[in-house]
Amino acid sequence: MASLRMPRRALPSLKSVRTPSSISTSTFTSTHLRPSVPSQSRSQPPQIRPYHSTLHPRLPDHTYNNSQTAILTASLPHIPTHGFSAESLALGARDAGFLDVSVQLFPRAEFDLILFWLASRRGLLRAKVEEGALFRRVADQAGRDVSSLDVEEKCRILVMERLKMNEDVKGQWSGALAQMSLLGNITLSLSELHALSNDILSLAGDSAVDASWYSRRFGLSAIYASAEMVMTRDPTPDLSETETFVNRRFEDKLALNQKIEGLSQCVSFVGNTAVGVGRSWGLKI
């Protein structure tokens, strides 16, 4: 009896097997076989991410390109009349040869004009000191030599010189202070104030690096910020009332420093005396 044989069906080869169109080859391999590890990750060590904290974000940048600098520079002469406003920016754009729509180059609008004013005045103050005429002029008026001016006196001179740079925009400065006090602008405003106090102390010859480095800058920043408020209400043409206020604040600051130094010396004396008495009683101190 003849044996029955079933016809053998040809098995498909591995090459003819196709993955579904919705699943790519790499997905299929990584899901169903084993995870594919890039060859570079085997040879290179993992990169260490630098420290980052959302509690201390990086300050926003306020540097400007050539077109922005040209517009801002041309806007400065319009500030005494039109203030730190979009109109001053538009007029500056026209004077620099740009269209009025170019003011859209400034995402912070009027605040960019304020920042540029502050930074440009700091640069002008530094240039006057580097020329050597500022301290020499003040010393000649007082009949003294430049070398006899100490750091505190030079700081007074620099503070008043910087305040006098605001004379042309004194009527518009209250609006600028209001802009700087807005929540979104406080960070950059304080950064510019700290930069100014640091420049003044450096230009005055203060090179000490000790525990009072920050306190000196904070104290000078407080004096300058309060003097700006007085300047906006000063009716005198030469800012004589503001100068009197600045001199009084520096004298108060000097007296406070002397009190703090005297208190620290007193505490040190009392401490040393207590240690000496304790040792005389046989205490191991």
Side-chain angles (χ1 to χ4, degrees):
M1 184 174 180
S3 61
L4 297 177
R5 291 184 179 181
M6 298 295 295
R8 298 179 61 186
R9 298 178 60 183
L11 296 175
S13 62
L14 185 60
K15 296 181 179 180
S16 63
V17 176
R18 297 182 179 180
T19 59
S21 58
S22 60
I23 304 177
S24 62
T25 305
S26 60
T27 306
F28 180 82
T29 304
S30 61
T31 304
H32 299 281
L33 297 180
R34 59 186 178 88
S36 59
V37 181
S39 58
Q40 294 181 353
S41 63
R42 300 192 190 101
S43 58
Q44 296 181 356
Q47 295 183 354
I48 300 176
R49 185 180 180 184
Y51 174 76
H52 173 73
S53 173
T54 57
L55 299 178
H56 301 283
R58 181 178 179 272
L59 289 178
D61 190 19
H62 62 286
T63 57
Y64 307 101
N65 56 37
N66 293 336
S67 299
Q68 291 172 324
T69 302
I71 295 174
L72 290 170
T73 303
S75 302
L76 297 182
H78 299 285
I79 294 176
T81 304
H82 303 284
F84 296 88
S85 61
E87 186 176 1
S88 295
L89 281 174
L91 293 173
R94 295 176 193 173
D95 295 344
F98 294 88
L99 299 176
D100 292 356
V101 73
S102 301
V103 298
Q104 297 180 0
L105 293 172
F106 306 99
R108 289 180 290 260
E110 298 89 342
F111 187 56
D112 273 317
L113 186 57
I114 297 174
L115 290 175
F116 187 79
W117 171 268
L118 296 174
S120 61
R121 299 310 97 175
R122 282 197 295 112
L124 183 59
L125 183 66
R126 179 173 290 276
K128 286 188 175 184
V129 175
E130 291 175 351
E131 290 173 358
L134 178 59
F135 293 144
R136 186 168 57 249
R137 172 174 56 83
V138 176
D140 291 342
Q141 291 175 354
R144 300 171 56 186
D145 188 60
V146 177
S147 59
S148 64
L149 299 175
D150 59 15
V151 174
E152 289 291 329
E153 290 175 313
K154 289 181 178 179
C155 284
R156 294 190 196 190
I157 296 170
L158 291 171
V159 167
M160 281 308 305
E161 188 67 23
R162 174 59 187 88
L163 289 170
K164 289 178 180 178
M165 293 180 184
N166 286 347
E167 281 187 285
D168 294 337
V169 299
K170 185 175 68 172
Q172 308 290 348
W173 197 243
S174 296
L177 292 176
Q179 284 274 348
M180 287 187 284
S181 64
L182 295 178
L183 182 61
N185 300 336
I186 289 179
T187 302
L188 281 177
S189 301
L190 292 178
S191 175
E192 274 295 328
L193 180 60
H194 172 73
L196 175 62
S197 62
N198 185 56
D199 283 355
I200 289 177
L201 282 166
S202 299
L203 294 173
D206 179 42
S207 58
V209 181
D210 51 21
S212 63
W213 191 92
Y214 289 101
S215 63
R216 291 195 303 273
R217 280 149 181 81
F218 288 153
L220 185 58
S221 297
I223 291 176
Y224 182 82
S226 57
E228 275 192 330
M229 298 295 295
V230 174
M231 180 201 66
T232 59
R233 302 187 299 268
D234 190 350
T236 58
D238 56 349
L239 299 180
S240 59
E241 290 186 5
T242 305
E243 186 172 6
T244 302
F245 173 82
V246 170
N247 292 335
R248 186 167 62 249
R249 288 300 304 272
F250 269 98
E251 292 172 0
D252 294 341
K253 176 176 175 290
L254 182 60
L256 179 61
N257 290 339
Q258 291 175 349
K259 290 180 180 178
I260 293 176
E261 291 176 359
L263 179 61
S264 62
Q265 291 175 358
C266 180
V267 171
S268 176
F269 173 77
V270 172
N272 292 332
T273 303
V275 171
V277 172
R279 287 176 178 174
S280 67
W281 290 347
L283 298 177
K284 296 182 179 181
I285 302 177

